[in-house]
Amino acid sequence: GIRLICRKVNNLNLKLKQSMGEFDGGNFEQALDILEEIGSDDEDYKFALMLKYNCLMNLGCFSDALTIINLLICDNPYALLFWIDKTKCHYFLDDLSNMGSALDNVERIVDICNTDELSDLMKLCTLIKKYEKSLKYCNMILEIDENHVGALLEKSLLSTFIDDKQMMNECGNMLLDQNFDDFATMMVPFVLKVFSKKYDDCLKMVNELKDIDLKNAEKLKNVIYTQMLCDLNIQIFLEKSVELTLDESISLLFKYNYDGIVCGTVRNVNYRIISCNS
């Protein structure tokens, strides 16, 4: 946020530009050294303060960052960014009382019709482990824009945090509706489906993915197989030694899980599935 704000201003102080370069490169101490040369009478002083507290936060100096943030809030009491960063500082200082007060102010001034502001608040709540609040703002964003990928991904993350398998499955379906049709983008809905025990949906995703190669397909099928063995807590016993393909093994697990079939024949070899719970 700080970089975008500063770059909108024309004719920035040369020192500020230099410090921004160091900041972008992750050289926060060097950026601070340069910022110290910008005096309070400089027209870019407030921007320098914003960059300075961002450097301090990145260095873990949250108390020092708070001192600056509080000054900026005095001049700009309705600046959402400052209240969000104030909340973060109190959180990392384990100052939960002041964190709660700062979060109240964030919620008070956020524009509930602005998906960007709601997204910032949603991510803040996730960061400070206020998952119910984060989920609330996820849903508010999705009410405005049901295809908001950022909110869908955040909701997916939250579903794993709170171990809500129904929500995992729902998020997986919503993400699949975004036409994620390549290996990288389908991984999130795939994992959600695995964790929500929708194994048939997982296998369907793998089989229907157009650009997946054999190696990656085998990896995903192996994830399905391994997770099913773990979730169902079972083992497959064969009457004679035979090396089953991954597809054959998954087929046996599917028959067990969906049809209750515990024994049969595969490749002319008798097999039995034993529950480790018994």
Side-chain angles (χ1 to χ4, degrees):
I2 180 68
R3 296 195 298 275
L4 291 176
I5 293 172
C6 288
R7 283 169 180 161
K8 289 179 181 178
V9 180
N10 295 322
N11 302 317
L12 284 176
N13 182 305
L14 179 59
K15 292 293 183 182
L16 186 55
K17 288 183 178 180
Q18 291 175 345
S19 64
M20 287 172 62
E22 296 292 348
F23 182 91
D24 288 341
N27 304 314
F28 306 117
E29 291 182 355
Q30 291 89 328
L32 280 173
D33 288 341
I34 298 171
L35 289 169
E36 291 298 332
E37 301 177 29
I38 301 176
S40 59
D41 57 344
D42 193 288
E43 61 180 347
D44 294 322
Y45 182 63
K46 286 187 178 179
F47 288 116
L49 286 179
M50 292 170 64
L51 188 56
K52 187 173 183 179
Y53 88 67
N54 273 270
C55 290
L56 290 167
M57 288 181 68
N58 277 282
L59 291 169
C61 302
F62 299 109
S63 291
D64 292 336
L66 266 175
T67 300
I68 298 174
I69 293 170
N70 288 335
L71 286 173
L72 291 169
I73 286 176
C74 286
D75 289 338
N76 303 273
Y78 296 99
L80 186 69
L81 173 64
F82 298 154
W83 282 108
I84 287 176
D85 288 337
K86 179 177 172 64
T87 305
K88 290 178 183 178
C89 286
H90 287 302
Y91 172 75
F92 288 118
L93 289 168
D94 202 26
D95 181 1
L96 301 185
S97 176
N98 282 316
M99 182 201 78
S101 298
L103 179 60
D104 288 343
N105 277 290
V106 176
E107 294 181 288
R108 178 175 57 85
I109 65 178
V110 71
D111 182 352
I112 61 172
C113 297
N114 186 315
T115 56
D116 289 337
E117 290 194 9
L118 285 173
S119 292
D120 289 339
L121 177 51
M122 169 188 71
K123 292 174 184 176
L124 172 66
C125 290
T126 300
L127 173 69
I128 63 176
K129 300 180 181 179
K130 298 289 185 180
Y131 299 139
E132 289 187 6
K133 283 182 179 288
S134 184
L135 183 58
K136 169 187 171 182
Y137 294 115
C138 273
N139 290 331
M140 288 176 66
I141 295 169
L142 292 171
E143 286 178 7
I144 298 171
D145 178 8
E146 63 181 8
N147 297 315
H148 195 287
V149 174
L152 288 175
L153 291 173
E154 196 75 13
K155 189 170 183 177
S156 301
L157 181 66
L158 290 167
S159 71
T160 63
F161 287 163
I162 63 178
D163 194 27
D164 186 328
K165 290 181 171 49
Q166 181 178 344
M167 190 189 301
M168 290 181 203
N169 184 47
E170 291 171 353
C171 289
N173 288 333
M174 288 188 289
L175 287 168
L176 286 174
D177 288 341
Q178 302 302 308
N179 297 317
F180 287 173
D181 56 359
D182 62 78
F183 179 75
T185 54
M186 64 86 70
M187 284 306 300
V188 173
F190 176 82
V191 170
L192 290 169
K193 289 287 186 178
V194 169
F195 287 158
S196 59
K197 301 183 180 181
K198 300 295 182 180
Y199 314 115
D200 49 352
D201 287 349
C202 294
L203 188 58
K204 182 180 179 182
M205 289 170 64
V206 176
N207 290 333
E208 292 183 352
L209 197 61
K210 297 176 182 177
D211 69 343
I212 192 169
D213 57 37
L214 182 60
K215 183 177 179 180
N216 284 327
E218 288 293 297
K219 286 181 180 179
L220 295 182
K221 288 180 181 179
N222 191 58
V223 169
I224 297 170
Y225 174 71
T226 304
Q227 191 65 36
M228 287 189 75
L229 285 179
C230 180
D231 289 341
L232 299 171
N233 198 18
I234 56 177
Q235 288 185 333
I236 301 173
F237 290 94
L238 299 168
E239 185 180 50
K240 293 190 299 185
S241 178
V242 60
E243 189 172 342
L244 301 181
T245 67
L246 196 51
D247 286 332
E248 288 171 331
S249 298
I250 290 175
S251 177
L252 298 185
L253 296 186
F254 270 41
K255 289 177 182 178
Y256 174 86
N257 187 58
Y258 296 111
D259 303 318
I261 298 174
V262 298
C263 59
T265 303
V266 58
R267 292 212 197 170
N268 297 319
V269 174
N270 293 329
Y271 77 89
R272 178 173 290 276
I273 295 178
I274 304 295
S275 171
C276 299
N277 296 319
S278 57

